[in-house]
Amino acid sequence: MYPVHFGHRYKNNGIFVNAAGGTGKSFVWNMLLDSVRSQGKIALAVASSGIAATVLKGGRTAHNIFKIPLMEYNEVRSCSIKKNSELAKLLELTSLIVWDEIVMANKNTLTALDITLRDVLENEKFMGGKVFVCAGDFRQILPVIRGGGKNEELEHCIKSSYMWNDLTKLDLTENVRLKKDDTKNILFAQKLLQLGSQSEGPVEFDEDFGVRVKSRQELVDKVYDDIENNHLNASYFEKRMMMSTTSIR
């Protein structure tokens, strides 16, 4: 698969890949980046967070490389890229832009980049005509809106942007991290996918699925059992984690 051929295969130059954790998204991104760069062309790799950027070859945060200004959630501004600057010349030579974890980005930052590339590159096509491949998982973090709630987050995610309907949608659905004989974890991964994609009815878990607790303290005790004798043991904490979509208080 060569990203420079995307323009011939798809009608638009923008592609969104819906990819849950473990489906090989980072592998695909680095393969695309390598294939373009191996042809002597320029591919830019950016992400919405520094952590996500570290797994991309040559990755940097989108705000850093595109000079996206910090803005309030309801502002729309252009990026700080001047025509005929070194960055503008780099963008003109760029064949592919990859943006990972784009669902975390405020739609106004995407608008700012789109406006800027159209202006700097003097091309009225989406993102200045550059092949723009982005990805994310809507089961994870949406844009963080200061003082906002669910409605504000939904209003400012990429799905609420004018560009959403023009993006070609692709999916990565198979969890490639799991072994074929790992039945329990495969079932868990399938259930997680259903949480964001099942169109009808609730997602039901079997009675013996996981460990059930009746209180926050029981949860803590289950996860951090025997912590009194292991509080100085780094490997003990490396194997334990408590994650929640809302704060546990």
Side-chain angles (χ1 to χ4, degrees):
M1 177 183 288
Y2 292 90
V4 291
H5 295 164
F6 280 166
H8 300 292
R9 181 175 178 183
Y10 299 111
K11 179 180 178 180
N12 303 316
N13 59 298
I15 297 172
F16 174 81
V17 180
N18 181 33
T23 55
K25 174 166 55 71
S26 298
F27 172 81
V28 171
W29 281 168
N30 286 318
M31 181 187 69
L32 294 178
L33 294 168
D34 284 343
S35 68
V36 171
R37 292 166 181 169
S38 68
Q39 299 173 57
K41 299 181 180 181
I42 296 175
L44 300 181
V46 303
S48 298
S49 70
I51 294 177
T54 61
V55 301
L56 300 175
K57 294 182 179 179
R60 291 161 62 182
T61 63
H63 279 77
N64 176 273
I65 199 168
F66 295 129
K67 310 302 179 185
I68 300 174
L70 297 178
M71 60 181 94
E72 292 295 330
Y73 71 90
N74 58 348
E75 289 182 313
V76 176
R77 298 163 62 185
S78 60
C79 304
S80 302
I81 304 175
K82 297 181 179 179
K83 288 185 177 181
N84 301 318
S85 65
E86 291 300 317
L87 179 53
K89 294 176 182 178
L90 173 65
L91 291 170
E92 186 175 354
L93 296 172
T94 296
S95 297
L96 170 70
I97 296 174
V98 169
W99 187 326
D100 195 14
E101 303 297 354
I102 202 165
V103 298
M104 296 174 58
N106 189 312
K107 70 177 184 181
N108 290 338
T109 65
L110 307 178
T111 299
L113 179 60
D114 185 29
I115 291 173
T116 300
L117 291 182
R118 292 181 192 227
D119 178 52
V120 171
L121 301 177
E122 298 181 350
N123 187 326
E124 285 304 311
K125 292 183 179 180
F126 173 66
M127 293 297 175
K130 298 300 176 181
V131 177
F132 183 81
V133 184
C134 56
D137 181 5
F138 289 100
R139 302 170 188 83
Q140 299 182 22
I141 300 175
L142 293 179
V144 176
I145 306 300
R146 182 169 58 181
K150 177 180 178 181
N151 291 337
E152 287 76 15
E153 291 178 352
L154 294 175
E155 173 62 25
H156 288 86
C157 76
I158 187 174
K159 277 193 175 183
S160 297
S161 170
Y162 64 85
M163 63 185 69
W164 178 250
N165 289 333
D166 292 329
L167 292 172
T168 298
K169 315 299 190 305
L170 302 176
D171 295 281
L172 290 176
T173 57
E174 183 178 350
N175 193 313
V176 297
R177 293 178 185 169
L178 300 176
K179 298 179 180 179
K180 292 183 178 180
D181 58 351
D182 194 353
T183 306
K184 184 175 181 180
N185 285 328
I186 289 176
L187 177 60
F188 181 74
Q190 291 172 343
K191 290 293 184 181
L192 286 182
L193 289 176
Q194 288 178 17
L195 289 175
S197 58
Q198 184 163 307
S199 58
E200 295 182 3
V203 177
E204 298 182 355
F205 291 85
D206 297 333
E207 287 294 329
D208 59 349
F209 189 85
V211 178
R212 300 186 180 228
V213 296
K214 296 181 179 180
S215 66
R216 293 185 178 89
Q217 186 58 50
E218 188 179 354
L219 173 62
V220 173
D221 293 340
K222 287 286 185 181
V223 177
Y224 296 103
D225 57 299
D226 199 28
I227 191 173
E228 294 84 0
N229 297 319
N230 289 281
H231 64 282
L232 298 178
N233 184 355
S235 62
Y236 171 85
F237 290 98
E238 289 174 356
K239 299 176 182 178
R240 292 164 170 80
M241 179 182 293
M242 195 176 295
M243 299 180 66
S244 174
T245 55
T246 56
S247 298
I248 300 175
R249 298 179 179 177

